[in-house]
Amino acid sequence: MHDHDDLPDELRDVADRLRREATRPTAMELDHLKLRAMHSARSHAHGRKGTFMKSRLATILTIVGLTIGAGGTFAIAGGGGSDGGSAAKTQYKPGKGCGDQNHPPSHPSPECK
Amino acid sequence: MASPGPDFASAYEDHVWQVYGFFAYRVGSRELAEDLTQLTFERGWRAWGRYDPLRAQVSTWLLTIARNLLIDHYRSSGAAWTMEPLHDTAEQHLPTAELTPSLGVTPEMARALATLDLRAREIVALRYGGDLTGPEIAEITGLSLANVQQILSRSLRQMRLHLGDGDEQEDPAGEGQTADPVA
């Protein structure tokens, strides 16, 4: 479209006036707008990065938690077995041979005191 | 999302005044014009990866965003006022803000613009505030080029009557037959 849009002569002055009075941002407003746009863009970028970091952090914490949890479970399961044996062996290993206190063995073990 | 890079910065530098100019002819305050301009570029920045220079000029693309943003803005305001469902709020019935002298428009011009219906005012804003061409306006609005030119001529004629130097009767012969600006 040309400057005067092929308008009739009597309308060109109105068109010119509309162009003249069209509000344009001042230099200060342009700077302000630019700063706001940059700030907004940065916020969005950080927001995305933050979300990404949060999800990564959550994943890492979950893995660490599971690992610690599983390790803890294993540790508890194996707890008390200072000899490194299994819980079954700890609980159900043969006795010390002390036997019934009312019928002392002929050769008492040093542990039977 | 593709990084906007320096191209978007150039688009901003080259077209911010057009976006602002469009809003300035549609809303009532510099603050709102500024807010909506910023939102337009914010949306544009986010969608920049999808911008196809083969399909549209940057100015047309940005002003399409601006126009949609303004419709959203009016719809949300309209919904608050009328409690109508959004889809029932016709664009022609959306609230329109009075232009104030603080926006740089003279009171006389503001009064002349206020006589236009919403569609006509939008076309005027896109042409003289957004500095778009007739074909670009037709592309954005979905109107035919002939219709855009017709609306522009009729709008200017109507405004001229209110600008003090008009000596014609409103709605001259033949203009009334094309009164419906919506294609």
Side-chain angles (χ1 to χ4, degrees):
Chain A
M1 195 176 275
H2 302 295
D3 268 359
H4 286 111
D5 306 331
D6 297 325
L7 292 168
D9 288 346
E10 71 271 16
L11 298 183
R12 289 185 182 183
D13 57 336
V14 183
D16 286 340
R17 194 164 164 184
L18 274 166
R19 280 197 194 86
R20 268 201 316 274
E21 292 195 23
T23 308
R24 302 300 179 201
T26 62
M28 191 182 287
E29 281 171 333
L30 274 178
D31 284 346
H32 188 215
L33 266 170
K34 198 169 187 175
L35 284 174
R36 283 175 65 181
M38 282 168 62
H39 175 78
S40 176
R42 212 175 292 136
S43 299
H44 276 289
H46 287 180
R48 284 203 182 86
K49 189 177 177 184
T51 307
F52 176 68
M53 291 302 288
K54 274 180 199 165
S55 67
R56 278 196 70 178
L57 185 64
T59 307
I60 290 166
L61 285 176
T62 304
I63 291 169
V64 169
L66 285 172
T67 307
I68 290 172
T73 304
F74 291 136
I76 290 166
S82 56
D83 58 353
S86 71
K89 282 182 182 172
T90 306
Q91 293 294 317
Y92 303 112
K93 68 182 180 182
K96 295 172 183 173
C98 299
D100 187 350
Q101 293 296 316
N102 295 323
H103 302 87
S106 51
H107 302 288
S109 163
E111 293 179 59
C112 301
K113 290 184 179 174
Chain B
M1 187 186 73
S3 170
D7 285 345
F8 187 76
S10 304
Y12 175 86
E13 296 286 346
D14 293 344
H15 302 291
V16 63
W17 61 275
Q18 285 175 276
V19 174
Y20 187 93
F22 165 71
F23 283 127
Y25 266 145
R26 296 298 307 278
V27 300
S29 73
R30 277 186 176 272
E31 289 75 19
L32 186 53
E34 202 174 296
D35 285 348
L36 291 170
T37 301
Q38 187 215 325
L39 279 174
T40 300
F41 280 94
E42 204 176 306
R43 274 196 192 178
W45 186 83
R46 276 184 268 154
W48 187 243
R50 298 195 297 274
Y51 168 64
D52 182 357
L54 298 175
R55 293 183 60 189
Q57 300 279 333
V58 177
S59 56
T60 314
W61 187 75
L62 285 169
L63 278 157
T64 302
I65 296 174
R67 180 175 179 259
N68 290 335
L69 201 60
L70 190 63
I71 291 172
D72 288 349
H73 172 76
Y74 281 155
R75 279 188 176 154
S76 61
S77 308
W81 289 353
T82 65
M83 303 301 285
E84 282 181 306
L86 292 184
H87 59 271
D88 289 339
T89 308
E91 193 184 345
Q92 285 80 356
H93 299 138
L94 297 174
T96 179
E98 285 297 315
L99 290 172
T100 57
S102 67
L103 207 57
V105 179
T106 61
E108 191 182 25
M109 180 64 83
R111 276 195 300 274
L113 281 165
T115 65
L116 304 178
D117 63 43
L118 206 60
R119 174 72 75 185
R121 191 153 146 186
E122 178 180 55
I123 303 292
V124 168
L126 286 169
R127 177 70 190 102
Y128 299 105
D131 203 41
L132 292 188
T133 63
E136 287 169 342
I137 296 170
E139 186 187 331
I140 286 182
T141 57
L143 300 173
S144 68
L145 177 58
N147 204 348
V148 168
Q149 287 172 332
Q150 204 169 38
I151 293 168
L152 271 177
S153 296
R154 190 177 62 235
S155 303
L156 297 186
R157 206 176 294 280
Q158 187 172 329
M159 288 180 68
R160 187 166 176 256
L161 293 171
H162 297 271
L163 286 173
D165 53 356
D167 55 357
E168 295 178 31
Q169 296 297 313
E170 196 167 356
D171 191 20
E175 289 293 322
Q177 293 168 4
T178 56
D180 182 7
V182 182

